[in-house]
Amino acid sequence: MEYIKCLKPGLLTTIQDLGRHSYQSFGVSACGAMDPLSLKLANIIVGNPQDYAVLEITLLGPEILFKGEGVIAITGADLSPTLNEKELPMWRAVHVQEGDILKFAKARTGCRSYLAILGGMLVPEVMGSKSTFLRGNYGGIEGRVLQKNDRIPIGPIHHSWIKKVKNRGISDSVIRNIFHKDAVRFVWGPHDRAFKEESKELFIESVYQITNQSDRMGYRLEGKALLHKKSADILSEFVAPGTIQVPANGKPILLMADCQMSGGYTKIGMVIGVDIPLVAQKKPGDFIKFRPVSIEQAQEEWKRQMKWLSILSKNNTHLIAK
């Protein structure tokens, strides 16, 4: 495939990879995919390395023209994708031809889809990543969202790979196990002792709603206010995606991919790494319930996921997972 061309941009479509993690000590946001697991799986399905850049598509998708033959996969949210007006299967490798057109319609499930293309997207790296950071105006395509008539070059491939990855995919049962959980798991701290005990109990008993004042930087949550023993303010210190800050109004803020690198609000907890994708697929109006787990449990879940991804990456059979 030579390139893809944007015929319609959609609501918020950007180029993302796994982010820039070597510059956080300088105050540079890691950014990257909101749902890194869906990005990795999309790349695995088409035969790319897990960290290749893809299109992150939010709620209302773009219209894309393919210039040349290749293989694509769409993971994450089901935004009703079609290829040449025919329904396109999710979580599967799909063969595309010169002149094919990809479209999206209404969101059936989730918030963000990921489009991977065999060969990857050839845009310049900025500080070791191709991810778009909209607040900083760098990465991706000139640090901005996809626009009409944009062309994104695609990396070269061996045509033998097209046959090798044909029909590869992830089964529905595996996807349901990943994304259809009742609660988002988190680890207490580092400032949970700054909250009254009744507020900590309230936090895990309540259901919080994602407000419209939410974006790639963080989700503002509406629900029962949490009470501090003293002040909500601390000396600014490191924060990361998954951090649950609680300012003076008692309403939690869940930091996401584009979050700042330091913050001065107390942090009641941290969402575990394997549940970040679950949070990323929620949109304004959706609800979140939190459930505490131990650090040891969080580490075991992370190791289990990394092992599973490694097995998938090395599996050359047509059906990746049953």
Side-chain angles (χ1 to χ4, degrees):
M1 187 180 298
E2 185 179 351
Y3 62 83
I4 60 173
K5 180 179 179 180
C6 175
L7 303 180
K8 294 181 181 179
L11 178 64
L12 177 65
T13 306
T14 58
I15 292 177
Q16 301 292 342
D17 55 23
L18 294 179
R20 44 185 65 85
H21 298 276
S22 300
Y23 298 87
Q24 292 172 284
S25 61
F26 300 100
V28 177
S29 173
C31 57
M34 288 279 279
D35 177 354
L37 180 59
S38 289
L39 179 147
K40 292 176 183 179
L41 290 174
N43 276 320
I44 289 172
I45 291 170
V46 299
N48 289 336
Q50 293 182 31
D51 60 351
Y52 266 32
V54 307
L55 285 185
E56 180 180 88
I57 300 160
T58 306
L59 288 176
L60 181 63
E63 186 173 319
I64 300 293
L65 170 69
F66 296 102
K67 182 64 176 178
E69 183 184 16
V71 176
I72 67 171
I74 299 175
T75 60
D78 184 352
L79 305 183
S80 306
T82 62
L83 188 68
N84 302 327
E85 307 298 338
K86 295 181 180 179
E87 187 172 352
L88 187 149
M90 297 278 299
W91 307 94
R92 291 285 185 276
V94 176
H95 187 193
V96 295
Q97 304 275 7
E98 167 85 27
D100 284 352
I101 295 178
L102 172 67
K103 296 181 181 180
F104 296 84
K106 65 180 181 179
R108 294 188 181 118
T109 61
C111 182
R112 295 172 174 88
S113 284
Y114 292 84
L115 168 63
I117 302 175
L118 178 59
M121 299 182 181
L122 300 183
V123 297
E125 287 191 357
V126 178
M127 291 179 280
S129 171
K130 297 179 180 181
S131 286
T132 307
F133 184 45
L134 296 174
R135 291 174 181 268
N137 298 313
Y138 57 79
I141 304 175
E142 302 172 352
R144 58 169 172 77
V145 299
L146 196 66
Q147 295 179 358
K148 184 177 180 179
N149 294 324
D150 278 343
R151 293 187 179 188
I152 303 175
I154 304 301
I157 61 170
H158 296 290
H159 281 275
S160 60
W161 262 104
I162 293 178
K163 291 183 179 180
K164 284 184 179 180
V165 300
K166 186 179 179 181
N167 296 327
R168 283 161 57 107
I170 309 291
S171 71
D172 293 340
S173 61
V174 172
I175 302 310
R176 283 195 299 270
N177 185 53
I178 295 172
F179 292 102
H180 296 267
K181 295 185 175 73
D182 294 332
V184 173
R185 294 167 292 180
F186 76 99
V187 174
W188 288 112
H191 306 127
D192 55 303
R193 294 181 181 179
F195 296 85
K196 295 183 177 181
E197 285 301 317
E198 55 266 35
S199 281
K200 291 176 64 176
E201 293 178 10
L202 183 65
F203 180 64
I204 59 176
E205 291 172 356
S206 299
V207 175
Y208 288 89
Q209 186 173 35
I210 300 173
T211 72
N212 289 327
Q213 288 72 47
S214 300
D215 56 19
R216 281 182 49 90
M217 187 173 183
Y219 293 173
R220 290 186 177 272
L221 305 180
E222 183 61 42
K224 296 293 181 64
L226 306 178
L227 300 178
H228 298 82
K229 291 178 180 178
K230 294 181 180 179
S231 172
D233 298 325
I234 59 170
L235 290 175
S236 291
E237 61 181 37
F238 178 76
V239 295
T243 299
I244 308 168
Q245 292 185 316
V246 185
N249 67 4
K251 302 299 179 69
I253 301 171
L254 176 50
L255 300 185
M256 297 301 288
D258 284 357
C259 71
Q260 72 280 14
M261 290 296 95
S262 63
Y265 294 138
T266 47
K267 300 184 282 290
I268 195 170
M270 185 84 179
V271 173
I272 69 173
V274 297
D275 279 4
I276 290 292
L278 179 63
V279 177
Q281 290 301 340
K282 293 185 179 295
K283 56 188 179 296
D286 286 349
F287 294 90
I288 296 179
K289 184 173 178 58
F290 295 98
R291 178 163 64 85
V293 295
S294 68
I295 292 176
E296 291 76 18
Q297 285 177 288
Q299 292 171 336
E300 285 302 315
E301 289 290 336
W302 183 258
K303 287 189 289 186
R304 188 178 295 114
Q305 186 179 99
M306 291 303 100
K307 181 178 180 180
W308 177 64
L309 286 170
S310 177
I311 292 171
L312 293 188
S313 295
K314 297 174 183 176
N315 191 329
N316 292 318
T317 59
H318 289 305
L319 188 61
I320 293 178
K322 296 183 179 181

